[in-house]
Amino acid sequence: DAVRYWAASTATGKDAVIDEQRIQAGAKLATKIWNVARFSGRFLQDYEPQVQAAANAALTPADRWILARTVEVVDRCTALWEQYDYASARSEVEIFFWRDLADNYLEMVKKRLYDDEDSDGARYALYHALLSTLKLFAPILPFVTERIYQGLFAATDGSESIHRSAWPESEPAWHD
């Protein structure tokens, strides 16, 4: 995955020199994705998103923010992939993952996630944001995303593999 990350950092038609620092950055990203999934797994295990549609009523401003950011990055990355601009798509989803999901949102909702009575909105938002992020990373980091998908999402997303699952779509209700 780390080598594929490096390979996806150069635009189509441009020469790329092997950059060990960029390969190491890819390895760190894969490790961070794994750690975020491990942390999230305890709250998403046996989570049924279809049944949790009522969780929308329990969404806090933080939950609505991460869902709105998720929609923005899905729309932007989809457009970039359609233009074969995979280097920019990788960059967009990586910035979203590090800055918005891992560094900010997870820190904001940790207390709510541990509190079973107040966690519906946080679990709903985390489920959808993490699943969309994994699907956006899947073409670039196929192995770590597949492993996480198999463990957390395959049963509820309805596909046997992240690479056969539907591409994330923009949810109109999440534009906020």
Side-chain angles (χ1 to χ4, degrees), residues 1-10 16-32 90 94 98 140-141:
D1 278 351
V3 173
R4 288 176 63 98
Y5 172 88
W6 161 76
S9 64
T10 303
V17 177
I18 296 224
D19 184 352
E20 288 187 34
Q21 289 180 332
R22 205 163 272 180
I23 293 171
Q24 289 173 348
K28 287 179 184 177
L29 175 62
T31 300
K32 184 67 172 183
R90 184 211 59 139
E94 184 177 8
W98 281 104
I140 296 166
L141 304 170

Side-chain angles (χ1 to χ4, degrees), residues 11-85:
T12 304
K14 301 210 179 191
D15 292 335
V17 177
I18 296 224
D19 184 352
E20 288 187 34
Q21 289 180 332
R22 205 163 272 180
I23 293 171
Q24 289 173 348
K28 287 179 184 177
L29 175 62
T31 300
K32 184 67 172 183
I33 292 170
W34 184 260
N35 289 337
V36 165
R38 267 189 38 214
F39 171 78
S40 302
R42 71 182 77 167
F43 308 108
L44 299 179
Q45 203 69 296
D46 303 322
Y47 181 70
E48 295 286 337
Q50 297 82 6
V51 176
Q52 298 295 333
N56 285 332
L59 294 177
T60 66
D63 302 330
R64 291 194 326 266
W65 168 76
I66 197 64
L67 291 172
R69 285 290 299 128
T70 300
V71 166
E72 288 174 16
V73 79
V74 164
D75 289 346
R76 178 83 176 121
C77 287
T78 300
L80 290 168
W81 277 107
E82 288 172 351
Q83 298 167 9
Y84 300 101
D85 190 356

Side-chain angles (χ1 to χ4, degrees), residues 70-71 73-75 77-78 128 131-137 162 165-171 174:
T70 300
V71 166
V73 79
V74 164
D75 289 346
C77 287
T78 300
H128 290 288
L131 179 58
S132 294
T133 302
L134 289 175
K135 288 181 177 186
L136 293 173
F137 270 132
I162 194 168
S165 66
W167 187 255
E169 292 184 16
S170 182
E171 210 37 70
W174 295 351

